Amino acid sequence: GEFLAAPAQTTRHTEEFYRSVGEKIKLIRKQKGLTQKAVAQRLKVSQQIISRIETGRENLSLRSLKNIAAALDCQLQVDIFG
């Protein structure tokens, strides 16, 4: 396939999206009384990865997001609007 560079505006929206997802993960983790290290251990990843996810610096696959939801014992809901 052909690689298409995203326009700057799209890139900014993408970064905001990653940040908002990360903030939600952090909020739920704290509500559950879990540390980043505890979540990392459940997912078999480093604590640094959890930190990167929570600050929006890690691009998550849908599979990773599903695994995080399971590690946090919460439901994952994805809404797509047209």
Side-chain angles (χ1 to χ4, degrees):
E2 185 177 333
F3 175 78
L4 299 174
Q9 184 178 12
T10 302
T11 301
R12 188 172 68 251
H13 287 300
T14 300
E15 290 169 358
E16 289 171 6
F17 175 70
Y18 291 157
R19 226 177 350 265
S20 69
V21 169
E23 287 171 4
K24 184 70 172 178
I25 290 168
K26 181 177 182 177
L27 178 69
I28 293 169
R29 174 182 61 77
K30 288 189 167 195
Q31 286 174 345
K32 303 271 182 175
L34 296 168
T35 63
Q36 287 183 347
K37 185 174 183 178
V39 175
Q41 288 171 337
R42 290 180 181 193
L43 294 168
K44 297 180 176 58
V45 298
S46 70
Q47 178 270 324
Q48 288 81 3
I49 293 290
I50 302 303
S51 176
R52 288 181 58 81
I53 290 167
E54 289 185 354
T55 55
R57 293 177 290 134
E58 190 72 22
N59 182 358
L60 292 173
S61 68
L62 291 175
R63 176 174 286 154
S64 294
L65 195 53
K66 186 176 176 188
N67 290 342
I68 291 167
L72 294 173
D73 192 32
C74 65
Q75 296 294 315
L76 174 63
Q77 179 178 329
V78 178
D79 290 323
I80 300 174
F81 300 94

